[in-house]
Amino acid sequence: QVQLQESGPGLVKPSETLSLTCSVSGGSISSYYWSWIRQPPGKGLEWIGYIYNNGGTNYNPSLKSRVTISLDTSKNQFSLNLTSVTAADTAVYYCARRGAGGSTEFDYWGQGTLVTVSS
Amino acid sequence: SYELTQPASVSVSPGQTASITCSGDKLGDKYVCWYQQKPGQPPVLVIYQDSNRPSGIPERFSGSNSGNTATLTISGTQAMDEADYYCQAWDSSTVVFGGGTKLTVL
């Protein structure tokens, strides 16, 4: 059974960089799209971006200038960097896997990690 | 940018049928999936590719997609189905979520 687990600081200061890692177990990180999705408290889901196993990426246009997603296949992990954060970036951050082949859905999700932006 | 619109809330009596809509321009030309999210938990996929149920999802969950509207239908709604529901689609290689619908079973 594939499992995803987010890790990283729960508190980030304004203007600094938010960095999170998603560790994948129970399966290889190859041959899938890996995404970050966030959810501000009491609000809906917002897609941040994805990375494919060849390193190709695509980001939400509204966040593109501040986001980098990277892949470490040797550790079966992928990471999120979000620069110049503000209080509006406070959210639960989820990592998720898009299914194989031509699938369009996220079939596995991490439990999520709350990141608060505050001084 | 592409937008998906859902009603903010839907109410249903136990045992009745709940329908949650998701609207977007020419949505029927795209695959839509649906997630259920309960408080403090990550979303769970309940419908993918418009109308398919993942293993373990009860048969009372069904989906359809045509024209500009996709619909999640829950037949014989149970108290455990009370949750937030999100539709999701892809547009131009980006992922779009609907704003979410709170389903109340009362």
Side-chain angles (χ1 to χ4, degrees):
Chain A
Q1 181 76 342
V2 175
Q3 293 186 323
L4 288 75
Q5 180 66 58
E6 305 89 351
S7 60
L11 181 64
V12 181
K13 290 182 169 56
S15 80
E16 295 190 345
T17 296
L18 180 159
S19 296
L20 296 174
T21 296
C22 181
S23 299
V24 180
S25 59
S28 172
I29 205 165
S30 301
S31 302
Y32 293 99
Y33 288 78
W34 302 93
S35 263
W36 288 97
I37 295 159
R38 70 180 183 179
Q39 185 172 35
K43 296 188 178 180
L45 300 168
E46 180 181 31
W47 174 71
I48 298 171
Y50 66 70
I51 189 165
Y52 190 51
N53 69 335
N54 65 0
T57 56
N58 200 15
Y59 303 129
N60 187 322
S62 68
L63 299 169
K64 186 174 184 177
S65 63
R66 299 193 291 130
V67 173
T68 303
I69 297 176
S70 58
L71 194 66
D72 187 337
T73 54
S74 66
K75 295 182 179 179
N76 237 34
Q77 294 176 339
F78 63 106
S79 298
L80 168 70
N81 275 1
L82 181 66
T83 62
S84 305
V85 297
T86 69
D89 295 308
T90 293
V92 174
Y93 285 76
Y94 296 101
C95 56
R97 188 189 85 167
R98 170 182 160 180
S103 70
T104 56
E105 68 279 358
F106 298 106
D107 55 358
Y108 288 97
W109 294 65
Q111 285 298 308
T113 186
L114 175 62
V115 179
T116 302
V117 178
S118 175
S119 56
Chain B
S1 61
Y2 194 79
E3 293 186 356
L4 295 174
T5 302
Q6 299 181 235
S9 61
V10 168
S11 297
V12 63
S13 299
Q16 298 304 302
T17 297
S19 295
I20 299 173
T21 58
C22 174
S23 299
D25 185 48
K26 298 180 182 179
L27 186 57
D29 292 343
K30 307 177 189 298
Y31 276 134
V32 173
C33 60
W34 293 88
Y35 301 93
Q36 176 193 70
Q37 186 181 33
K38 296 182 178 179
Q41 298 182 21
V44 172
L45 182 68
V46 295
I47 292 290
Y48 67 97
Q49 291 183 355
D50 295 340
S51 59
N52 295 292
R53 275 180 294 104
S55 62
I57 300 302
E59 290 184 7
R60 63 180 181 273
F61 288 87
S62 63
S64 63
N65 183 20
S66 179
N68 293 324
T69 304
T71 303
L72 172 69
T73 302
I74 309 172
S75 305
T77 306
Q78 300 182 10
M80 69 173 64
D81 300 329
E82 185 163 289
D84 294 327
Y85 290 85
Y86 294 90
C87 60
Q88 178 242 303
W90 286 71
D91 179 72
S92 302
S93 300
T94 62
V95 176
V96 183
F97 287 100
T101 298
K102 181 176 182 58
L103 177 67
T104 301
V105 182
L106 41 69

